[in-house]
């Protein structure tokens, strides 16, 4: 790939010529002139039990509806339609365990058998169309089966990342009123067992809705089984009820497919709701175009199914495209920092999609680790979750991609369900910029008053038009959906990010403008961290902020005011950090806890986190006129 101007890379023209989008600019222009037509054409590439009447119904905006009147089921397109064609015997998933010995492969045919079995079992537990099922599983094949099985029977899955605490899990189970929880005895984390079933036991102890818990055996640690409530998946699989085909439930395009909890600016996580039809069309086409999916590809998205990236680009997008995906149970550095490079070589991965934080952490170990492996199978790289700093981009490009692989920096959110800003292979690459809006999409960067800012100036990033895979609402909270996304600038979707645009129309994401912190690409709300802190008996008040961190992007720093009778000290600081880790998630563990007498607040009592942030970085504290005293 030629570097023409400083920090501008022009890929070999052959890349565009042989891709699904040989001329991105003209497709962009064409799709933007008629987004509805563009999406209708994409939807035609998939199968529907009944065709839609209306592509986009905006009569109740911002409650947009897509493909109304259409009937399908995402699983029909992820699995069923492949069973009668050339993909029947193709590998859908290749799975490798953390221990490097456990290895499984599933063709589309055998994936179907597994999903049928899981679907039959879920059904036998009284779960019907529309019911919510909580999935709390590690990166093992059953998480794929469970998600697809729910979708197949029309149940709504709620996947919780298997690192969340019992408290966090319990509140999400209760909020979704799940009847069924699917978990494992434990998960493998760097050679040690993380006791998932124990956490589920704590979480469901007082749950009014959970009737059954399915337990997949993975780590063989001892667990307690409630004779009436808990069932080993192995035992259930042996029952006659598990056998045979389970019909794929015909769904309306707008029927819910899943909810996924994500952090917002209040303590209560929001449940983002996605639907069968639009989400299917969006994830299918964004993956196809952006990563130029081809039959011979071996796609590896390193995300966990517990996050939206895992939902859209590990489970649904790849199977909708009939692609072969690789899933790895472990992390990048165990037992050695060459683990991912070794797997890329061993499995001949062609397209590798990961997060800047992982790239930065691997970069620190030096070039020798990737250089020990033959990475020549790679043809495309991808990045997601936070802005990628140019140094990490350059390293990924030069050392991992050997200067040959374009890097797709994809900007999107749990809410958008699919890529919103990205390049496609063959387009000019600017390290650190996510590129341009996806086909049919338009964005704007606005000032406080809602006027577009000039090129190069920072402003609020908004999406100008709805997209098929965008959230339909916040589950059980339509008002919060309107308030959060559609109120600041009526008719435009507020992303919560700030950004700037350059004269070529490339978008440069700066970061969150709200009380959300991206830590290692994971999304956390300051309020969640604060409420975990104040649940500790020593803490009277707490504030959490994110400060720049070399590897994690941002790290959490906490400020706490102690209750009378407690003394500040290193030990207490450490136990507060542990407390957050246990009561929210290890991801949320503050790097630093500082004891203060008082928090900066507005006269109305709101914590002024920006003041803490400015002080911590030695920056100008800005306008302090609203500060209490
Ligand atoms: C936030 C959404 C959807 C993927 C996983 C994260 C940040 C995401 C990028 C990128 C710069 C990015 C934004 C966004 N973000 N991708 N390529 N460049 N920032 O989903 O947890 O819902 O977080 O992640 O701040 O708003 P999420």
């Amino acid at each position: 790939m030629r570097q023409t101007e400083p920090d501008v890379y022009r890929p070999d023209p052959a890349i565009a010529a042989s891709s699904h989008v040989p001329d991105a600019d003209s497709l962009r222009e064409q799709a933007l002139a008629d987004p509805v037509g563009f999406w209708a054409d994409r939807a035609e590439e998939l199968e529907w039990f009944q065709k839609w009447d209306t592509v986009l119904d905006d009569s109740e905006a911002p409650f947009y509806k897509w493909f109304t009147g259409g009937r399908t089921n995402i699983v029909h397109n992820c699995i069923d339609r492949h069973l009668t064609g050339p993909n029947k015997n193709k590998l859908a998933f290749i799975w490798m365990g953390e221990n490097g010995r456990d290895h499984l492969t599933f063709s589309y045919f055998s994936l179907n058998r597994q999903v049928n079995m899981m679907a039959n079992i879920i059904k036998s537990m009284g779960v019907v169309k529309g019911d919510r099922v909580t999935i709390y599983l590690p990166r093992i094949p059953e998480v794929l089966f469970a998600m697809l099985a729910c979708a197949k029977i029309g149940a709504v899955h709620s996947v919780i990342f298997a690192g969340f605490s019992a408290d966090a899990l319990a509140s999400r189970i209760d909020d979704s009123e799940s009847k069924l929880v699917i978990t494992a005895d434990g998960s493998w984390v760097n050679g040690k067992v993380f006791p998932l079933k124990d956490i589920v036991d704590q979480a469901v102890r007082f749950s009014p809705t959970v009737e059954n818990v399915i337990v997949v055996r993975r780590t063989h640690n001892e667990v307690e089984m409630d004779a009436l409530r808990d069932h080993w998946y192995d035992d259930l699989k042996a029952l006659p009820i598990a056998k045979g085909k389970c019909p794929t439930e015909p769904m309306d395009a707008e029927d819910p497919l899943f909810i996924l909890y994500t952090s917002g600016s209040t303590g209560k996580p929001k449940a983002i709701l996605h639907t069968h039809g639009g989400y299917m069309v969006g994830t299918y086409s964004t993956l196809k175009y952006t990563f130029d999916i081809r039959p011979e590809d071996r796609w590896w998205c390193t995300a966990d199914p517990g996050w939206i990236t895992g939902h859209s680009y590990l489970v649904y997008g790849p199977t909708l495209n009939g692609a072969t995906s690789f899933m790895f149970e472990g992390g990048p550095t165990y037992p050695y920092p060459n683990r991912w490079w070794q797997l890329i070589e061993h499995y001949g991965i062609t397209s590798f999609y990961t997060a800047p934080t992982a790239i930065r952490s691997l970069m620190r170990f030096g070039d020798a680790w990737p250089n020990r492996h033959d990475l020549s199978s790679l043809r495309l790289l991808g990045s997601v979750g936070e802005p990628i700093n140019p140094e990490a981009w350059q390293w990924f490009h030069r050392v991992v991609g050997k200067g040959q692989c374009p890097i797709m920096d994809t900007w999107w959110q749990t809410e958008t369900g699919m890529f919103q800003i990205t390049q496609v292979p063959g387009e000019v690459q600017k390290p650190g910029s996510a590129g341009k809006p996806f086909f049919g999409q338009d964005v704007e960067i606005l000032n406080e008053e809602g006027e577009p800012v000039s090129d190069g100036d920072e402003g609020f990033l908004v999406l100008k038009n709805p997209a098929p895979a965008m959230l339909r609402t916040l589950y059980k909270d339509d008002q919060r959906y309107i308030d959060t996304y559609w109120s600041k600038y009526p008719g435009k979707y507020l992303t919560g990010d700030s950004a700037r645009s350059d004269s070529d129309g490339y978008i440069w994401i700066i970061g969150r403008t709200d009380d959300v912190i991206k830590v290692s690409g994971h999304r956390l709300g300051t309020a969640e961290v604060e409420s975990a802190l104040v649940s500790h008996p020593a803490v009277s008040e707490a504030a959490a902020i994110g400060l720049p961190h070399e590897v994690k992007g941002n790290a959490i720093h906490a400020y706490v005011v102690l209750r009378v009778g407690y003394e500040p000290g290193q030990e207490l600081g450490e136990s507060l950090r542990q407390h957050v880790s246990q009561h929210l998630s290890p991801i949320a563990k503050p790097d630093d806890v500082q004891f203060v007498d008082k928090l900066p607040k507005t006269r109305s009592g709101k914590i002024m986190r920006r003041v803490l942030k400015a002080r911590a970085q030695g920056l100008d504290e800005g306008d302090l006129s609203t500060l209490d005293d």
Side-chain angles (χ1 to χ4, degrees):
M1 203 176 300
R2 285 175 301 134
Q3 183 171 12
T4 44
E5 302 128 57
D7 295 337
V8 173
Y9 289 78
R10 282 175 208 284
D12 183 338
I15 293 180
S18 67
S19 77
H20 286 299
V21 191
D23 184 353
D25 282 335
S26 63
L27 181 58
R28 207 171 269 118
E29 203 174 306
Q30 203 187 312
L32 198 53
D34 178 19
V36 164
F38 172 80
W39 288 115
D41 289 347
R42 303 290 74 73
E44 293 277 7
E45 295 174 24
L46 295 163
E47 291 183 1
W48 298 74
F49 303 137
Q50 188 184 312
K51 203 180 154 168
W52 57 89
D53 307 317
T54 312
V55 180
L56 170 63
D57 173 358
D58 57 8
S59 59
E60 290 166 51
F63 297 96
Y64 295 99
K65 297 187 189 75
W66 286 83
F67 308 110
T68 48
R71 284 174 82 69
T72 187
N73 182 312
I74 196 167
V75 173
H76 175 80
N77 283 292
C78 292
I79 302 179
D80 304 3
R81 79 181 171 115
H82 299 310
L83 303 178
T84 49
N87 288 336
K88 176 180 172 187
N89 300 314
K90 191 180 170 184
L91 289 187
F93 288 101
I94 302 169
W95 175 78
M96 167 56 76
E98 191 193 72
N99 61 19
R101 292 185 303 275
D102 299 341
H103 170 267
L104 293 166
T105 55
F106 302 92
S107 65
Y108 278 91
F109 182 80
S110 58
L111 176 66
N112 182 51
R113 190 170 50 225
Q114 296 285 349
V115 171
N116 272 307
M117 194 147 58
M118 182 75 94
N120 284 329
I121 290 169
I122 295 175
K123 244 186 170 170
S124 76
M125 303 206 152
V127 172
V128 299
K129 183 171 173 172
D131 284 349
R132 277 77 54 210
V133 173
T134 293
I135 300 174
Y136 186 68
L137 281 168
R139 274 193 302 281
I140 56 176
E142 284 78 4
V143 69
L144 311 169
F145 310 154
M147 290 168 74
L148 291 162
C150 286
K152 186 178 177 78
I153 63 170
V156 178
H157 58 69
S158 166
V159 185
I160 315 293
F161 175 64
F164 272 114
S165 67
D167 297 359
L169 177 60
S171 68
R172 287 158 174 79
I173 290 172
D174 287 346
D175 186 71
S176 64
E177 299 161 280
S178 294
K179 279 185 176 173
L180 171 67
V181 176
I182 307 177
T183 190
D185 47 359
S187 64
W188 287 112
V189 180
N190 297 340
K192 294 195 194 73
V193 174
F194 182 74
L196 290 183
K197 174 64 166 60
D198 291 358
I199 292 172
V200 170
D201 288 346
Q202 288 173 47
V204 303
R205 190 157 298 147
F206 304 109
S207 168
T209 58
V210 174
E211 294 163 8
N212 291 290
V213 176
I214 297 177
V215 188
V216 178
R217 207 177 254 120
R218 174 61 189 142
T219 45
H220 296 269
N221 50 310
E222 218 175 293
V223 297
E224 264 174 50
M225 295 293 279
D226 178 309
L228 294 175
R229 188 197 64 195
D230 302 344
H231 319 271
W232 287 109
Y233 187 51
D234 283 343
D235 296 346
L236 297 169
K237 282 198 291 188
L239 299 176
I241 188 84
K243 304 282 181 310
K245 291 212 169 75
C246 171
T248 301
E249 186 74 31
M251 305 296 283
D252 283 337
E254 283 292 310
D255 277 337
L257 168 62
F258 65 83
I259 54 176
L260 182 57
Y261 289 88
T262 190
S263 301
S265 22
T266 68
K268 193 173 177 279
K270 323 182 258 200
I272 307 293
L273 181 102
H274 285 290
T275 54
H276 272 259
Y279 177 83
M280 170 179 90
V281 174
T283 53
Y284 161 75
S285 355
T286 46
L287 184 62
K288 174 176 168 181
Y289 286 160
T290 306
F291 284 94
D292 186 37
I293 298 296
R294 297 182 191 174
E296 66 275 24
D297 276 340
R298 286 188 156 196
W299 162 254
W300 183 8
C301 163
T302 64
D304 190 279
W307 312 114
I308 191 68
T309 310
H311 281 61
S312 300
Y313 298 112
L314 173 60
V315 181
Y316 290 112
T319 50
L320 286 167
N321 279 281
T324 298
S325 283
F326 173 62
M327 179 164 86
F328 176 48
E329 184 182 32
T333 54
Y334 178 82
Y336 301 109
N338 65 331
R339 198 69 201 272
W340 278 5
W341 318 131
Q342 190 186 44
L343 291 165
I344 289 173
E345 175 174 11
H346 184 81
Y347 288 105
I349 303 298
T350 58
S351 320
F352 180 61
Y353 184 43
T354 192
T357 184
I359 298 165
R360 287 192 297 262
S361 81
L362 290 166
M363 190 168 107
R364 284 194 317 170
F365 293 101
D367 301 5
W369 292 101
N371 286 346
R372 270 167 55 181
H373 297 276
D374 176 3
L375 304 180
S376 59
S377 57
L378 290 172
R379 69 178 185 96
L380 290 174
L381 301 173
S383 171
V384 63
E386 53 176 323
I388 179 164
N389 48 313
E391 303 71 44
W393 194 101
Q394 304 285 6
W395 186 82
F396 200 27
H397 186 253
R398 178 174 52 82
V399 180
V400 180
K402 309 298 175 209
Q404 302 297 314
C405 308
I407 300 176
M408 301 299 117
D409 181 354
T410 59
W411 178 91
W412 57 297
Q413 309 178 300
T414 307
E415 289 88 340
T416 70
M418 66 174 207
F419 306 148
Q420 284 290 334
I421 301 175
T422 176
Q423 316 82 73
V424 293
E427 284 195 278
V428 168
Q429 301 253 287
K430 298 190 186 188
S433 165
K436 297 182 183 177
F438 188 77
F439 310 111
Q441 298 309 120
D442 204 1
V443 305
E444 252 178 355
I445 300 175
L446 304 178
N447 64 15
E448 194 58 50
E449 286 69 47
E451 296 141 2
V453 300
S454 322
D455 285 349
D457 287 350
E458 179 175 348
F460 295 97
L461 178 70
V462 301
L463 307 183
K464 277 179 73 176
N465 50 345
M470 203 131 125
L471 81 164
R472 292 301 184 265
T473 190
L474 295 175
Y475 177 64
K476 295 199 296 196
D477 208 346
D478 287 345
Q479 191 56 45
R480 191 173 172 197
Y481 165 74
I482 295 174
D483 295 345
T484 311
Y485 306 107
W486 301 95
S487 298
K488 188 170 169 86
Y489 305 114
K492 292 169 186 171
Y493 169 91
L494 184 72
T495 63
D497 279 16
S498 62
R500 55 193 174 79
S501 166
D502 67 19
S503 52
D504 297 329
Y506 275 61
I507 310 290
W508 301 73
I509 305 292
I510 297 163
R512 299 290 308 189
T513 58
D514 52 7
D515 295 323
V516 167
I517 312 177
K518 299 289 307 209
V519 181
S520 299
H522 300 311
R523 181 165 161 177
L524 291 166
T526 49
E528 287 170 280
V529 180
E530 290 159 5
S531 70
L533 282 164
V534 295
S535 73
H536 188 283
V539 178
S540 128
E541 280 186 292
I545 57 166
L547 291 178
H549 184 280
E550 220 180 303
V551 174
K552 296 195 253 187
N554 294 288
I556 293 180
H557 289 246
Y559 295 82
V560 301
V561 179
L562 291 177
R563 283 178 193 279
V564 189
Y566 288 91
E567 286 301 315
Q570 214 185 338
E571 216 169 295
L572 182 56
E574 185 50 36
S575 64
L576 293 178
R577 294 177 61 229
Q578 286 302 339
H579 185 82
V580 176
S581 175
Q582 267 163 26
H583 290 265
L584 182 55
S585 149
I587 299 160
K589 188 172 168 179
D591 272 32
D592 179 49
V593 174
Q594 282 196 32
F595 299 99
V596 293
D597 295 332
K598 209 170 170 201
L599 294 170
K601 287 190 192 159
T602 61
R603 269 171 230 120
S604 57
K606 273 185 77 180
I607 298 171
M608 293 178 84
R609 296 187 189 84
R610 71 171 171 83
V611 172
L612 289 169
K613 212 170 155 163
R615 270 183 209 166
Q617 296 177 277
L619 301 172
D620 177 20
E621 292 174 14
D623 180 5
L624 293 179
S625 58
T626 58
L627 190 67
D628 184 15
D629 76 69

